[in-house]
Amino acid sequence: MFTLAEVETVLPLVHAAVPPTPQYPWPLLKARTGVDVVVKHENHTPIGAFKLRGGLVYFDRLKQRRPRAAGLVSATRGNHGQSLAFAGAWAAVPVTIVVPYGNSTEKNAAMRAFGAELVEHGRDFDEAKEHAQRIAAERGHEFGPSFHRDLVVGVATYAYELFTAVADLDTVYVPIGLGSGICGLIGVRDALGLNTRVVGVVSDRANSYRLSLAAGRVVATNSALTFADGMAVRRPDPEALAVIRRGAERVVEVSDDGIADAIRIFYSDTHTLTEGAGAAALAALVKERHRLAGRRAAVIATGQNIDRPLMRAILAGETPRVE
């Protein structure tokens, strides 16, 4: 999908806006799980999520392809939209983001604050995406996909930071939304010639990638009813699925209860805020801790953008329900 030299080439561009994020071994997580757990803190970026890395590279290359681009339209549940809004302002390209009705109010506010025009449409990400494509065609603007090679090259910089900073990683757990994060990990691992296992994580209420991996083809689901909105995808991207099939050890399903518990564990053991998708990797590691006993593993805390009512309920011991 990309070369190591290509990732190293975009590092200065990414690091100009996103300083390298830390990867910390947390002793309380080790005591809890019996695993030497390293957390890659992608929640520590200017948008509170890893997606910004991809947005910066995408817009840089868009400006090279179309120097006079009139605008860009995309769809999101939040972090991809913040990434494009931030990077679009940097590149002086107007950005319109379509979100489904009922989307996170605080993520919506953040996208507007970064300069995006926000449009609400549809019941979920997939319907918002279809509407965004129509708007782009009507306006003659670029459509910004949620999975694209340039996005993957950008987000792969976090994998480069992790793998060059931490040796002897047996396994890395990473959540799957549309797939750029896990594909970046797989690509950098392979380019560095490492044997680290990459395990994808999905919600058991939005498990299209796990079903697709088992079937060997794209399998869409009828719903994606999880509060972990960063993983609430009904239809996998075929290109991402191909990379995952070649390079992932497996894909693990976690429950919303497990994700909520992982958010509480992050808060108590590391004093870190994570959103649903951002805690999913830890939920999977906790679920599989016995098979990793005594080994070193990493979890990617992909984001921290959780609304206050959800965090309040989770810290009170509840699990938010989406019906």
Side-chain angles (χ1 to χ4, degrees), residues 2 4 7 156-157 159-160 163 183-193:
F2 53 80
L4 193 63
V7 176
T157 57
Y160 183 92
F163 285 131
C183 290
L185 271 169
I186 290 169
V188 173
R189 179 205 59 189
D190 293 348
L192 291 171

Side-chain angles (χ1 to χ4, degrees), residues 247-265:
E249 174 81 5
R250 59 191 178 279
V251 172
V252 177
E253 291 185 17
V254 292
S255 67
D256 276 11
D257 286 339
I259 294 171
D261 192 46
I263 291 174
R264 289 187 286 267
I265 291 171

Side-chain angles (χ1 to χ4, degrees), residues 277-314:
L282 180 60
L285 184 146
V286 169
K287 180 178 180 180
E288 297 194 338
R289 63 189 181 278
H290 299 300
R291 72 190 296 168
L292 294 168
R295 301 178 185 177
R296 173 176 284 184
V299 297
I300 312 301
T302 52
Q304 66 181 16
N305 298 315
I306 184 168
D307 282 6
R308 285 174 295 172
L310 289 182
M311 193 65 184
R312 185 184 305 117
I314 290 167

Side-chain angles (χ1 to χ4, degrees), residues 38-300:
V38 175
V39 178
K40 179 59 170 169
H41 283 284
E42 285 298 287
N43 53 330
H44 295 175
T45 78
I47 68 165
F50 79 105
K51 291 279 191 177
L52 179 53
R53 299 169 180 270
L56 291 164
V57 174
Y58 184 87
F59 267 101
D60 181 67
R61 293 181 173 180
L62 173 62
K63 292 288 282 186
Q64 294 177 36
R65 295 193 309 269
R66 297 182 59 189
R68 297 182 180 179
L72 179 138
V73 185
S74 189
T76 187
R77 291 303 304 268
N79 291 335
H80 176 61
Q82 290 184 69
S83 168
L84 294 181
F86 184 107
W90 167 79
V93 175
V95 172
T96 300
I97 300 295
V98 182
V99 301
Y101 291 113
N103 196 54
S104 161
T105 57
E106 293 177 21
K107 287 181 179 178
N108 288 355
M111 285 183 274
R112 290 190 179 101
F114 285 126
E117 174 192 349
L118 203 74
V119 175
E120 294 181 276
H121 182 90
R123 63 189 174 96
D124 58 19
F125 166 77
D126 295 271
E127 290 187 0
K129 175 184 174 182
E130 292 172 1
H131 190 62
Q133 290 171 323
R134 288 194 293 271
I135 292 175
E138 291 168 0
R139 296 181 180 180
H141 289 185
E142 185 92 0
F143 172 73
S146 297
F147 186 89
H148 187 277
R149 186 180 184 278
D150 294 342
L151 296 173
V152 176
V153 172
V155 301
T157 57
Y158 87 75
Y160 183 92
E161 292 170 10
L162 174 65
F163 285 131
T164 55
V166 183
D168 303 323
L169 280 173
D170 179 85
T171 305
V172 179
Y173 288 87
V174 58
I176 302 175
L178 215 53
S180 62
I182 188 172
C183 290
L185 271 169
I186 290 169
V188 173
R189 179 205 59 189
D190 293 348
L192 291 171
L194 302 175
N195 295 318
T196 304
R197 299 175 177 88
V198 174
V199 177
V201 184
V202 297
S203 165
D204 62 6
R205 307 194 78 197
N207 60 353
S208 59
Y209 269 98
R210 206 276 302 163
L211 296 174
S212 299
L213 193 65
R217 58 180 175 81
V218 170
V219 176
T221 57
N222 293 324
S223 63
L225 299 175
T226 173
F227 82 89
D229 53 2
M231 301 191 297
V233 173
R234 289 192 284 116
R235 177 175 293 276
D237 181 273
E239 186 178 359
L241 179 63
V243 174
I244 294 167
R245 288 185 65 195
R246 291 195 304 268
E249 174 81 5
R250 59 191 178 279
V251 172
V252 177
E253 291 185 17
V254 292
S255 67
D256 276 11
D257 286 339
I259 294 171
D261 192 46
I263 291 174
R264 289 187 286 267
I265 291 171
F266 262 126
Y267 188 78
S268 63
D269 290 6
T270 74
H271 291 286
T272 292
L273 287 179
T274 51
E275 60 191 272
L282 180 60
L285 184 146
V286 169
K287 180 178 180 180
E288 297 194 338
R289 63 189 181 278
H290 299 300
R291 72 190 296 168
L292 294 168
R295 301 178 185 177
R296 173 176 284 184
V299 297
I300 312 301

